[in-house]
Amino acid sequence: MSAGAAPGGITPVVVRLKLSLLRNGLRQSGGRRAAYVASAVVALLFAAVQLLGFVLLRGHPHAASVAVLGTAVLALGWAVMPLFFPSGDETLDPTRLVMLPLRPRPLVSALLTASLVGIGPLFTVLLLAGCVISVAHGAAAYVIAVAAVVLALLVCVALARAVAAANVRLLTSRRGRDLAVLSGLVIAVGTQLVNFGAQRLGSSGLGRLDPVTDVLRWVPPASAVDAVDSASAGSYGVAVAQLALTAAALAALVAAWARSLTRLMTAPDASTVQAPDRAGRSRARTGGGLARLLPAGRTGAVMERALRYVWRDPKTKASWVTSLAIGLIVPVFNAAQGTGSAYLACFAAGMLGVQMYNQFGQDTSAFWMVALTISAPRDAYLELRGRALALLVVTLPYATLVTVLTTALRGDWARLPEVLGLSFALLGAMLASGAWASANTPYSIPQEGYKNVAPGQAGLAWISIFGGMIGAALLCSPVIALALWTHLGASGDGWSRLLLPVGAVYGAGIALLGLRLAAPRTAARLPEILSAVSR
C-alpha cells in the first residue's frame, strides 16, 4: 500500500483488518466466544428495550427532553470509554500503524469507516433511532431524522477516536492502566448518581429536565436529535441550523483526530526521552515532603511506604478512591434526599476500615522484603501500627467530614457527637479485626487485570473480610449498646453527648489491643503469610 493510495483503497483493507481482529480474537477460546455472544445479546436486548421505551414515549410533552438528554449521555459514554477500556478495540491504537506508508487524512476516513463495525455502533443506532422516533411528526421530520441519526452516530464514533488518539500515549503507559483500574469507581459513582436522579425525577416529573435540555439542544450530537423536534414543530430554519452545527462539530473532531494522527506518526514519544537532570531531581526529592511530617523510626517509614502504595499502586489506589467516593455518596445523598438517618455517616468509617484487611496481601510478592525485617513480635507490632496510623491519617478527618456533612444536610446537629463517637469506635474495631485477619487469613491480589483475589483464594478473601466485619461489629457492640441505652432509657440527650469521648477512647483502646494481639501471631506465621501473598 503506497503513501499516495486513494482513500477507497485503504478503507476496505482497514475494515477487513477490523473483522480479522474480531474473528481471530473469538477463535482463541470457547469462553471468549461465549462471553462475546452473551454480551452482544445483553447489549442488543437492552437497546431494543430502550427503543421500545422511546417509541412508547412518543407524544409525551417532555419526550424531546428525554431524547436530547439521552443522546448527550450516549455521546459522553463514547467519549470516556476509550479512556477506561483502551484494550476493548485494538484498532483504537494508531501507533500500530505508524510504520506503514499511510497519510493521516486517508487513514482517518478508513478508521472512521472501520469504527462503524461492531456491537457498539449497532447499539448506538438503535438508541438514536428511538430518540428520533419519539419526537418525529410529519414527513419532513422523518427526512431530517435519517440525517440526524447518521450525523449523531458519526459524531459519537469520531469523538471516541479523537479522544483515543489524543491520549494514546497515556493509555498505553502505566498511568493509563491506573486509569483503567479506576473504571470501577466511575461505574459505582455513576450508578449512585443515576439512582439519585431517577428518584428526583420520580418525585417531581420529567419537567425538571427542560432547563438542562434548553442548553443541550445546541450541543452536538444532541442538537441533531433536537433538529427533528424543531422540524416537527415547523421550525425548519432552526432544524437546519442544528444539523449544520452537528456537521461542523463532526468536521472539527475529524480535523483534531487527523492532527493527533499526524503528531503520532511523525513525533517521538516524549515519555521515552529522559531529561538529563531528571534523576538528579528525583534524588533531591528523596527524604523530603511527606517524610518530614511523619514520626521518626520504623513507624514513620512504614507509614510513608503505605501512603506511597495508596498513591502509586493501581489496585490499592482504585480500592481507596472507590471507598472514599462510596463512603461519601451513600450518606450524603441520602441526607440530601431526606431519607435514611444520621447514623449512615458511620458507613464512611466502615468503607475505609475495610482497607485494614489483608494488609500484607496488598504488598504481593514484595512482602518478602518486609518479612526480612520482622524477627520478633515487637517488629510485627511496629509494622502493624505504622500501617494502621497511615490509614488513620486519611480516615479520621474523612469520617469527621462526612459526619458533619450528613448531620448538616439533615439539620440534625444534636446527633453529631453521638454519630461521630460511633464512627470512631467502629473504626477502632475494624483496625483491630483487620490486623488479626491480616495475620490469619492473608491472600494474594493479582497485579494484572481486574481480579482482586488470586485463583483458589476466594474462600480466604470471604473469611478475611466478612469474618473480620462480624468481629468488628461484636467489638463495637458495647458502644452500640450505650447508644441504645441513651435513647431507650430515661437518660436524655445529655448523656448521648458522652458517646463522642467514649467512642474515641474505646476505639483507640480496642485498636491498640488488637494490634498487640495480632503482632505475635504475625511474627509466628511469617512463612505462611509470605507463601499466601506471593502466589
Side-chain angles (χ1 to χ4, degrees):
M1 188 182 302
S2 65
I10 299 176
T11 300
V13 175
V14 176
V15 172
R16 288 197 299 271
L17 174 62
K18 175 71 175 286
L19 294 174
S20 297
L21 289 172
L22 178 61
R23 183 173 60 253
N24 294 337
L26 295 178
R27 285 177 177 175
Q28 291 182 2
S29 66
R32 187 164 183 172
R33 287 192 297 272
Y36 180 84
V37 172
S39 61
V41 170
V42 171
L44 294 180
L45 283 177
F46 179 76
V49 171
Q50 295 297 310
L51 174 60
L52 178 60
F54 277 113
V55 171
L56 295 177
L57 196 63
R58 180 180 171 83
H60 192 280
H62 300 291
S65 298
V66 178
V68 170
L69 182 61
T71 305
V73 171
L74 185 64
L76 179 63
W78 274 92
V80 302
M81 280 301 173
L83 297 177
F84 295 121
F85 303 101
S87 60
D89 184 357
E90 296 183 14
T91 61
L92 281 174
D93 185 3
T95 58
R96 298 172 181 266
L97 306 174
V98 295
M99 299 302 295
L100 299 177
L102 300 174
R103 296 186 185 278
R105 288 292 179 180
L107 187 58
V108 165
S109 302
L111 289 176
L112 183 61
T113 304
S115 299
L116 300 177
V117 178
I119 300 174
L122 180 57
F123 176 88
T124 303
V125 167
L126 291 176
L127 259 64
L128 291 174
C131 290
V132 297
I133 289 174
S134 65
V135 296
H137 301 281
Y142 278 105
V143 172
I144 291 180
V146 174
V149 169
V150 173
L151 281 174
L153 175 63
L154 292 176
V155 167
C156 288
V157 174
L159 178 61
R161 287 289 184 173
V163 170
N167 296 278
V168 67
R169 302 294 190 194
L170 169 66
L171 298 179
T172 54
S173 65
R174 183 183 64 83
R175 292 188 179 276
R177 291 190 292 272
D178 293 356
L179 187 64
V181 171
L182 293 176
S183 60
L185 169 64
V186 176
I187 295 173
V189 174
T191 301
Q192 293 293 332
L193 292 175
V194 169
N195 179 53
F196 177 70
Q199 291 181 2
R200 296 295 298 270
L201 288 177
S203 60
S204 54
L206 296 176
R208 294 183 65 91
L209 297 177
D210 291 343
V212 179
T213 304
D214 291 339
V215 176
L216 293 179
R217 66 193 299 258
W218 292 103
V219 177
S223 56
V225 173
D226 195 72
V228 182
D229 183 60
S230 299
S232 299
S235 303
Y236 300 112
V238 174
V240 171
Q242 289 173 317
L243 287 180
L245 178 63
T246 307
L250 175 60
L253 287 172
V254 170
W257 182 11
R259 284 195 299 271
S260 298
L261 283 178
T262 302
R263 184 172 62 253
L264 287 171
M265 301 173 89
T266 58
D269 186 358
S271 64
T272 62
V273 181
Q274 183 175 1
D277 61 336
R278 183 177 298 176
R281 290 198 303 268
S282 298
R283 287 192 297 269
R285 289 195 297 264
T286 303
L290 179 62
R292 291 196 297 266
L293 304 176
L294 301 177
R298 175 163 186 155
T299 299
V302 173
M303 291 179 65
E304 183 177 4
R305 176 182 5 110
L307 292 173
R308 288 189 184 277
Y309 275 174
V310 173
W311 182 252
R312 294 181 177 180
D313 181 63
K315 286 292 181 70
T316 306
K317 182 191 297 184
S319 179
W320 270 81
V321 174
T322 302
S323 297
L324 287 168
I326 301 302
L328 174 67
I329 288 173
V330 171
V332 170
F333 273 36
N334 277 277
Q337 297 177 79
T339 59
S341 69
Y343 297 102
L344 274 178
C346 296
F347 189 77
M351 286 297 297
L352 285 190
V354 174
Q355 303 301 320
M356 188 63 189
Y357 294 83
N358 195 36
Q359 276 291 311
F360 307 127
Q362 297 174 18
D363 296 352
T364 61
S365 58
F367 178 69
W368 73 269
M369 301 179 68
V370 177
L372 291 176
T373 66
I374 299 176
S375 58
R378 175 65 179 173
D379 298 327
Y381 172 72
L382 293 177
E383 178 72 25
L384 289 170
R385 187 179 69 177
R387 293 172 184 252
L389 289 175
L391 184 66
L392 289 175
V393 166
V394 179
T395 306
L396 281 178
Y398 171 77
T400 303
L401 174 63
V402 173
T403 304
V404 171
L405 282 176
T406 303
T407 52
L409 289 172
R410 293 184 57 82
D412 196 4
W413 291 104
R415 301 281 186 206
L416 178 60
E418 178 182 351
V419 176
L420 203 54
L422 286 172
S423 294
F424 291 159
L426 175 61
L427 181 58
M430 297 194 77
L431 290 178
S433 61
W436 183 259
S438 296
N440 288 275
T441 53
Y443 56 91
S444 178
I445 300 177
Q447 290 300 292
E448 299 296 331
Y450 297 91
K451 292 183 179 180
N452 291 318
V453 182
Q457 292 187 326
L460 280 175
W462 282 91
I463 294 173
S464 175
I465 296 176
F466 289 98
M469 291 174 67
I470 293 173
L474 293 176
L475 292 175
C476 197
S477 57
V479 181
I480 297 176
L482 179 60
L484 292 175
W485 176 75
T486 59
H487 288 285
L488 300 179
S491 55
D493 291 337
W495 287 96
S496 65
R497 296 188 179 92
L498 292 177
L499 281 170
L500 177 54
V502 169
V505 172
Y506 180 84
I510 200 68
L512 287 173
L513 179 61
L515 294 176
R516 290 195 177 276
L517 292 177
R521 186 69 173 169
T522 300
R525 298 191 72 250
L526 271 182
E528 292 87 346
I529 296 174
L530 184 58
S531 175
V533 303
S534 300
R535 293 186 179 182

